[in-house]
Structure formats: structure tokens, C-alpha cells
Amino acid sequence: MRACVPLIVALLCSLAWADLYSAPDSCRGRCLEAFDKHHQCHCNARCRDFGNCCEDFESLCDHEGFSHSSDAITKEELQSISEKIYRADTNKARKEDIIINSQNCISPSETRDQVDHCPEPLFSYVNEELFSKPTYTAFINLLNNYQRATGRGEHFSAQQLAEQDAFLREVTKTAVMKELYSFLRDQNRYSSEQEFVNDLKNMWFGLYSRGNDKGDSSGFEHVFSGEVKKGKVTGFHNWIRFYMQEKEGLVDYYSHIYDGPWDSYPDVLAMQFNWDGYYKEVGSAFIGSSPEFEFALYSLCFIARPGKVCQLSLGGYPLAIQTYTWDKSTYGNGKKYIATAYVVSSTQ
């Protein structure tokens, strides 16, 4: 078996290259500059409002006196709240609930080859009693409400809209989401739980256009259910969805390039697979986490670090999540929709 190359190595190499050769991606020498649409990221006083600050904005521009505010969330605070969320996930799978067969690990250079290195399914066993828990049931009810092809508008029935509300209602009852709300309230992001829930609904279930048709996508559909665009799988970062599609014979697991250091669930796996005729080059996902755990961490990172790498800590191990905003349409007071969120790295 090949030794997997930790994803963090590739990430750090790319960041180092950007520091040396891509000045437009850095705030070095650019703090307080005027807005320039040609720059890939920005370093002015309002870049936080629009979610387009450069990655090093906080470290380089805080001393300029305009980026510090009472509700700025630090890396240390993110690591602390992510550990609290990790400990609060009592609905996660136990070690005996899931048996995975990860089989062959390939190098990152092989991910485009579309070669099936794993003759057996990824999941050897899942205790489906997990799915009778309220948040799992509410989550699963949502997965078949979408058309996976982008460019085809989504139109929800009254029942499907009610299922969205039911999911939000169930997850907000959990200790995981109560930890998240309490943290964000203390950070002056929300003044009431209802405001928080309303924002989550818009953020995750609000429709926007990825293709030609208006309203053909949403953050929830992309991240958790998965989509197909231009002949490729996009999104699809959820282990429950993967297991259910694999069980139906619609997903063929090909290989993985990373298996996280955790010796219990949730774990992290970055894998390659074929989804009913369409290929996913690298699909990272938590394994064995509850729906509310993923929903909470992705929401936290989107709120605290929109469009950036979000540095967290789970069970003492570092982990990073990348979110992307959808800039072509907004809701509320200029807020952006979540376009995608996924695990990008973790190391021992």
C-alpha cells in the first residue's frame, strides 16, 4: 500500500508559493488601499463585510487600526469552540457502528486517472439504527429533494419546504448547535436564536444559480447532496449520502489520498469515486459524524471565515475547512450564500 501524502503539505506549499510570487493574494504593503476590482482579494476596511479579505489580512493589517473590532473571531477562539462542538456531538457514531474498508491509498498526482483501485465498497458495515435518531431522519428526508444536474431549477413542494424547517428545528435542539449559537451570540453575531435560525435557513437553503436556470442550486444541495456540472461531480461531502448511494449501487469507491489521525468517529477521508457515471477527483468528508456536527462546523467557518481557510481543532488534532461564498446573488443585508464547504487538511 502506498503511503498517503498529507493534504496539509500541498496546502502549505501552495500558500508559500503565493507568498513569494502572488502579491495580489497578500496584504503585504496593501493595508488601507482603495478597492481595486482587479485584485483577487482585498485589504481595505470593508473587506470583512464582503467576505473578500486576503488570507493574511488579520495578521498584517490589524496594527493599522481599522480591522480590529469587538466581534472579530480569533483563530484561538475558533479552535476552542470547535473542540466544544466536537465534545458535544453525542449523536456521532461509535467505533462499533461503522466499519470502513479504505483499501488502496494513491498519490495526489493519480487522482485524475479515474482508475478504480478498490474492488470492494468503502462501507463494510453501518449500524442503520443511527438513522432513526431525529437529526439523521430529518437530514435523510432532505437528500432526495434535489435535481443533481446544475442548470435545472429547483422547485420545492410544501412538504419539502416543511422538511427544511424540520431539519433546522431538530438540529437546533442539539447540544452541538446550542454550543455554536451561544458562541456566536457572545461574539455579537446574533441577538436571538430565531435570528440565527433564519440566517441558517437563508444561508443553506436559499436558491441561487450555478447554471442557466434561475435557482438551480443551494449550499445544502451542493455540500451534502451533491451536484453534477459539466460532466463532473461537485460538492457531495457527506458520509451518510455516500453510504446510501453506495448501498443502492450508484456510488463506486475508487481510492483515497488521505485518512485522518482520529482513532474514533468522526474521522476524515479524502477519496475518489464514481457517482452513477460521473467522477469525483477528490471528495473530502467526515466519517461517522452526526448531521448537526457537520452543519455546525461548516456554518461556523462560513460565518467566521467566509471564502477562507478556517483553522479548527478536533480532539487535539488540527483541521482546516475551506468555505466559498456565492458572490453573484445575496440575501438579507448583502449577505452571501454558501457555495461550498469541505475539509482541506489535518495533521497529527
Side-chain angles (χ1 to χ4, degrees), residues 71-73 184-191 195 303-304 335:
D71 61 355
I73 300 175
L184 293 173
R185 181 197 59 207
D186 292 345
Q187 292 287 334
N188 302 313
R189 298 305 173 101
Y190 300 101
S191 59
E195 180 189 2
I303 293 166
K335 290 185 176 182

Side-chain angles (χ1 to χ4, degrees), residues 50-68:
F50 291 94
N52 56 17
C53 298
C54 295
E55 183 68 25
D56 56 8
F57 171 75
E58 292 183 14
S59 61
L60 294 181
C61 298
D62 268 352
H63 66 280
E64 300 292 339
F66 65 85
S67 66
H68 178 75

Side-chain angles (χ1 to χ4, degrees), residues 12-29:
L12 290 176
C13 288
S14 65
L15 289 177
W17 190 92
D19 287 342
L20 289 172
Y21 301 106
S22 302
D25 292 340
S26 171
C27 283
R28 192 172 303 280

Side-chain angles (χ1 to χ4, degrees), residues 313-326:
S313 178
L314 301 180
Y317 293 104
L319 174 135
I321 289 175
Q322 172 74 58
T323 65
Y324 290 97
T325 61
W326 190 255

Side-chain angles (χ1 to χ4, degrees), residues 73-324:
I73 300 175
T74 67
K75 175 182 176 180
E76 291 72 24
E77 288 170 331
L78 284 174
Q79 292 174 332
S80 175
I81 184 57
S82 58
E83 286 287 3
K84 289 181 180 179
I85 289 171
Y86 177 76
R87 292 192 296 269
D89 187 16
T90 57
N91 280 336
K92 66 183 178 182
R94 299 164 299 178
K95 291 184 71 172
E96 62 268 25
D97 286 330
I98 299 174
I99 300 173
I100 63 169
N101 183 11
S102 57
Q103 302 167 76
N104 284 316
C105 178
I106 66 172
S107 68
S109 64
E110 298 175 275
T111 59
R112 296 183 181 180
D113 294 346
Q114 300 191 33
V115 175
D116 188 353
H117 295 279
C118 300
E120 299 176 2
L122 173 63
F123 288 95
S124 298
Y125 169 75
V126 172
N127 177 9
E128 294 193 8
E129 289 184 7
L130 284 169
F131 301 158
S132 64
K133 295 184 177 184
T135 56
Y136 285 78
T137 299
F139 176 81
I140 291 169
N141 286 341
L142 293 170
L143 295 177
N144 293 325
N145 291 352
Y146 299 97
Q147 303 178 78
R148 70 175 183 176
T150 57
R152 299 173 62 185
E154 301 289 353
H155 304 282
F156 300 121
S157 66
Q159 179 177 339
Q160 290 171 333
L161 291 172
E163 288 171 351
Q164 295 175 6
D165 291 334
F167 173 73
L168 289 170
R169 187 167 57 250
E170 291 300 333
V171 296
T172 51
K173 292 178 184 177
T174 65
V176 162
M177 291 297 288
K178 289 186 183 299
E179 285 282 4
L180 176 60
Y181 169 65
S182 178
F183 172 76
L184 293 173
R185 181 197 59 207
D186 292 345
Q187 292 287 334
N188 302 313
R189 298 305 173 101
Y190 300 101
S191 59
S192 70
E193 188 171 12
Q194 190 57 55
E195 180 189 2
F196 174 54
V197 173
N198 290 342
D199 197 36
L200 290 175
K201 184 172 183 178
N202 284 315
M203 182 192 308
W204 283 101
F205 294 105
L207 293 174
Y208 52 79
S209 178
R210 288 182 184 269
N212 297 323
D213 201 347
K214 184 177 180 180
D216 67 337
S217 185
S218 71
F220 185 92
E221 176 185 8
H222 181 86
V223 173
F224 294 110
S225 183
E227 296 179 295
V228 172
K229 183 176 183 179
K230 296 181 179 179
K232 295 183 179 180
V233 177
T234 64
F236 201 138
H237 299 288
N238 178 258
W239 75 270
I240 300 170
R241 174 68 161 166
F242 191 102
Y243 166 73
M244 297 180 74
Q245 292 285 283
E246 187 177 63
K247 184 179 178 181
E248 292 184 30
L250 298 175
V251 161
D252 185 0
Y253 171 66
Y254 275 20
S255 55
H256 70 283
I257 60 171
Y258 178 78
D259 190 354
W262 294 271
D263 57 7
S264 62
Y265 296 118
D267 200 353
V268 176
L269 195 69
M271 52 194 163
Q272 293 68 52
F273 59 89
N274 184 296
W275 184 24
D276 197 23
Y278 299 95
Y279 185 64
K280 180 70 173 180
E281 189 172 317
V282 180
S284 58
F286 288 105
I287 305 294
S289 56
S290 69
E292 60 265 30
F293 174 84
E294 292 183 57
F295 196 68
L297 283 193
Y298 292 148
S299 299
L300 169 66
C301 285
F302 186 69
I303 293 166
R305 297 288 189 274
K308 297 181 181 180
V309 174
C310 177
Q311 302 289 343
L312 307 177
S313 178
L314 301 180
Y317 293 104
L319 174 135
I321 289 175
Q322 172 74 58
T323 65
Y324 290 97

